[in-house]
Amino acid sequence: MKVTKLSNTEAKQFFLKEKSYCYIDLPHYFSFSNLLNNVTEKIGTHSMSDFFSDTSAKLSDLYGINYLLFSNKDGKFEWRPLQLIHPIIYVSLVNKICEEKNWHYIVKKFKEYGNSKVNCISIPAQSETKESDKAESIINWCSNFEKQSIRLGLEYQYMLKTDITNCYGSIYTHSIAWALHGKAKAKKAKKDDLIGNIIDRHIQNMSYGQTNGIPQGSVLMDFIAEIILGYADVEFTKLLDDTSVYNISDIKILRYRDDYRIFSNNPKTLEVAIKYLTEVLIDLGLKINSAKTCISDNIIKDALKSDKFFWINNKQIRNNNYQKNLHYLHSFAESFPNSGTLVKELFNFYKKIKPKKYIKGDIIVMSSIVTDIMYKNPKVYPQCSAILSKLLDMIDFNEAKDILKLIIERLKYVPNATLLNIWLQRIARPFKMSISFDNKICRKVIDANVSIWESTWLRGNFKKLVDETDIINREAFDELSKVVNVNEIQLFEPYYNG
């Protein structure tokens, strides 16, 4: 069910779930539930300023309030900043958004967005099945975005595909208030308690006062992104409806977050449409990704992502030659790095070898292949970690430990790879290896007293609450199996007994 269909109290419960707070792929012993529950209880109905140790303090002057968790994107020098939002600010922001009058106002805005020409199918939703909310979101992509695109192949001859460059990192925080209240009202009432300005201030407070970019890694921020993009849909529609410029009637638009697909029987219409979309986004500080913008006359083929289309037509993993299958997956990863299909097929490979005590092939060779895939494809850290844990379990303990040391040495030069270190720590733990990581979150796993958020601005009891509420399930961490279990890494079928 879409979050906009929930009541304000239901929405608050949804946003305060630990998987809404953080959907980053962390090992299962990370747990934010106690922290969120304790902070929610402590905050109550108080405003955030009530917790300041110094009433004259400005949060926007403090650096590192959120915990920045880098994920390398290509094994080289491109990375994506993910963030664990400071729990006090996060809960405060959820409270403000979900106040009855504010929530009703925001929901009303989304209803207005629904009158645009753009069919948005990415509004965050609460799963109504056994699947997780994140899994439900991916199912929504496949079922609605891809399938609807293919169905539209019956009506239209051409499809334009595009997306927004660095969408979350480019969002202008003031545009949140523009989207909810209009530019003129938002600017005139900048210091008033309009919910758009409240959201803007919260984000600036957690971001060193910066007005460019919103944190990535939580459902709440996905929802805030949809506020801005929904507003863009409305402005885009106004330009499309301006018949004095160009009569556009033969058109259909699908949007999944910052991905757009525009359909028409006239390529000229698509050229005009992308021009209008560009103008709307530029006004919001966003821009089209020219490298990913193209017009296709083969909707059936191009409705699918290129990695999925290739896999469907070239699938070669049909036997139990596991080493050969890994070579093929490595080749596929070279052609389609960080792809969803790569994640899925590595997981399927892991499920095949998980129940086996022995498989044919050279364990060192296979470990080397998996490590190289891991090096260049950060999206598959969990799946590759699981495969490595199983391969190492098939050989002598001391030999496995020596190979793991080589794997860690091979991967240590990946820059800004906090997420990689977290998963290496997971598979190294059962070997009782002493590994020194230079990031706080890995040290937090070992030492509960390590603080990962900047909390010096908080009054004593509140600072103590944030610093001392553990985010690690110590029992789960101490009892880690040498082999990663299936349910530690899978997105779907959460009740699978692995």
Side-chain angles (χ1 to χ4, degrees):
M1 179 184 292
K2 290 181 181 179
V3 67
T4 49
K5 299 291 185 181
L6 303 177
S7 68
N8 65 301
T9 54
E10 291 170 334
K12 181 176 177 178
Q13 291 173 356
F14 172 71
F15 287 128
L16 289 176
K17 291 196 299 185
E18 69 171 339
K19 292 301 182 183
S20 296
Y21 168 72
C22 171
Y23 56 62
I24 302 167
D25 289 323
L26 299 173
H28 73 291
Y29 46 80
F30 280 88
S31 177
F32 300 97
S33 292
N34 286 341
L35 179 60
L36 292 170
N37 290 338
N38 290 345
V39 169
T40 300
E41 183 179 352
K42 190 75 173 175
I43 285 180
T45 58
H46 293 281
S47 62
M48 199 166 60
S49 59
D50 293 338
F51 316 133
F52 285 17
S53 59
D54 179 357
T55 55
S56 64
K58 289 182 64 178
L59 295 190
S60 57
D61 291 338
L62 294 177
Y63 181 75
I65 285 184
N66 291 349
Y67 181 71
L68 194 59
L69 190 157
F70 284 110
S71 174
N72 194 282
K73 292 179 70 174
D74 60 358
K76 296 179 181 177
F77 306 108
E78 186 177 1
W79 52 81
R80 175 182 288 112
L82 304 173
Q83 296 188 43
L84 296 176
I85 297 173
H86 195 291
I88 294 286
I89 302 180
Y90 182 87
V91 172
S92 173
L93 180 53
V94 170
N95 285 345
K96 290 295 184 181
I97 287 174
C98 295
E99 283 182 11
E100 188 172 9
K101 66 173 184 178
N102 291 336
W103 183 248
H104 287 170
Y105 182 84
I106 292 170
V107 168
K108 182 180 176 182
K109 274 295 172 183
F110 272 92
K111 289 179 180 178
E112 293 174 12
Y113 297 165
N115 295 325
S116 73
K117 289 183 180 292
V118 181
N119 181 7
C120 168
I121 50 183
S122 54
I123 295 172
Q126 180 166 263
S127 175
E128 297 181 279
T129 69
K130 68 177 184 179
E131 305 290 5
S132 67
D133 295 334
K134 185 176 179 181
E136 198 74 15
S137 177
I138 293 175
I139 292 170
N140 189 35
W141 165 281
C142 296
S143 298
N144 291 325
F145 200 54
E146 288 190 340
K147 288 183 180 178
Q148 280 194 43
S149 296
I150 293 171
R151 288 171 184 156
L152 288 170
L154 285 173
E155 301 177 50
Y156 298 99
Q157 185 177 352
Y158 301 99
M159 174 181 70
L160 184 147
K161 295 171 66 174
T162 192
D163 69 10
I164 299 172
T165 300
N166 187 26
C167 181
Y168 283 47
S170 302
I171 285 175
Y172 184 49
T173 61
H174 292 339
S175 67
I176 300 167
W178 301 351
L180 289 172
H181 311 290
K183 276 189 180 182
K185 184 176 181 180
K187 289 184 175 181
K188 185 176 180 180
K190 201 168 184 179
K191 294 185 178 180
D192 291 347
D193 284 337
L194 297 177
I195 183 56
N197 288 331
I198 290 172
I199 297 171
D200 181 5
R201 287 196 294 270
H202 272 75
I203 294 176
Q204 287 187 59
N205 282 339
M206 65 177 76
S207 306
Y208 201 39
Q210 295 182 33
T211 56
N212 283 326
I214 65 173
Q216 192 168 348
S218 70
V219 175
L220 181 64
M221 290 299 152
D222 290 346
F223 181 70
I224 290 171
E226 287 294 349
I227 291 174
I228 298 160
L229 294 170
Y231 170 72
D233 294 343
V234 173
E235 296 302 302
F236 184 28
T237 296
K238 288 178 183 177
L239 290 179
L240 293 174
D241 286 343
D242 186 356
T243 55
S244 65
V245 181
Y246 187 88
N247 186 12
I248 294 182
S249 56
D250 172 36
I251 194 169
K252 188 81 173 182
I253 307 162
L254 301 180
R255 179 175 66 78
Y256 191 98
R257 198 80 21 90
D258 61 337
D259 284 324
Y260 294 82
R261 293 183 180 178
I262 308 175
F263 301 82
S264 178
N265 285 310
N266 184 348
K268 176 65 175 177
T269 297
L270 297 179
E271 292 174 6
V272 174
I274 194 64
K275 173 181 178 293
Y276 290 166
L277 179 59
T278 299
E279 291 174 1
V280 168
L281 294 177
I282 285 176
D283 194 47
L284 294 171
L286 304 171
K287 63 180 181 179
I288 289 295
N289 187 338
S290 59
K292 292 186 178 180
T293 301
C294 63
I295 294 177
S296 169
D297 61 0
N298 190 339
I299 294 177
I300 306 304
K301 173 177 177 283
D302 291 325
L304 298 177
K305 286 193 170 183
S306 56
D307 59 296
K308 183 182 288 188
F309 184 83
F310 181 90
W311 189 268
I312 290 171
N313 289 280
N314 297 275
K315 187 174 181 181
Q316 295 182 26
I317 298 183
R318 299 189 179 97
N319 54 54
N320 290 328
N321 187 329
Y322 297 107
Q323 191 167 313
K324 182 177 180 180
N325 290 343
L326 279 177
H327 274 295
Y328 180 70
L329 284 167
H330 183 274
S331 177
F332 181 80
E334 291 289 312
S335 299
F336 302 99
N338 272 321
S339 65
T341 300
L342 180 63
V343 175
K344 176 184 174 182
E345 295 307 326
L346 283 167
F347 177 63
N348 287 339
F349 178 87
Y350 173 66
K351 286 201 295 184
K352 288 179 182 178
I353 67 171
K354 174 66 168 61
K356 299 185 179 298
K357 293 183 179 179
Y358 173 79
I359 60 175
K360 291 182 179 180
D362 188 315
I363 296 296
I364 297 179
V365 169
M366 288 189 281
S367 298
S368 181
I369 295 170
V370 175
T371 301
D372 198 61
I373 294 174
M374 199 173 185
Y375 189 103
K376 300 171 184 175
N377 297 272
K379 202 170 185 177
V380 299
Y381 289 158
Q383 294 74 25
C384 285
S385 296
I387 294 170
L388 288 172
S389 74
K390 180 59 184 178
L391 293 175
L392 296 176
D393 188 52
M394 295 180 181
I395 57 178
D396 174 77
F397 181 86
N398 290 324
E399 184 184 1
K401 194 170 182 178
D402 289 340
I403 293 173
L404 184 52
K405 288 178 182 177
L406 292 174
I407 291 169
I408 293 170
E409 183 69 19
R410 169 78 170 86
L411 296 172
K412 76 176 184 179
Y413 295 108
V414 176
N416 288 323
T418 307
L419 197 55
L420 171 60
N421 290 338
I422 289 170
W423 279 100
L424 290 177
Q425 186 179 48
R426 159 62 185 98
I427 60 176
R429 170 68 178 180
F431 288 91
K432 307 300 181 184
M433 294 173 63
S434 179
I435 307 172
S436 177
F437 293 109
D438 61 0
N439 45 73
K440 286 183 179 180
I441 198 163
C442 285
R443 299 203 302 272
K444 178 77 170 178
V445 172
I446 304 300
D447 181 359
N449 294 318
V450 173
S451 299
I452 65 171
W453 292 286
E454 163 57 75
S455 298
T456 56
W457 53 279
L458 287 170
R459 285 200 283 116
N461 288 339
F462 291 96
K463 183 179 185 301
K464 184 178 180 181
L465 176 67
V466 173
D467 288 345
E468 295 186 5
T469 303
D470 207 349
I471 61 171
I472 305 299
N473 182 328
R474 296 291 160 185
E475 182 179 355
F477 184 66
D478 291 339
E479 296 178 358
L480 284 175
S481 60
K482 191 161 62 166
V483 179
V484 174
N485 288 321
V486 174
N487 56 15
E488 291 185 59
I489 64 166
Q490 68 180 3
L491 189 59
F492 301 95
E493 305 166 7
Y495 301 111
Y496 177 94
N497 293 318

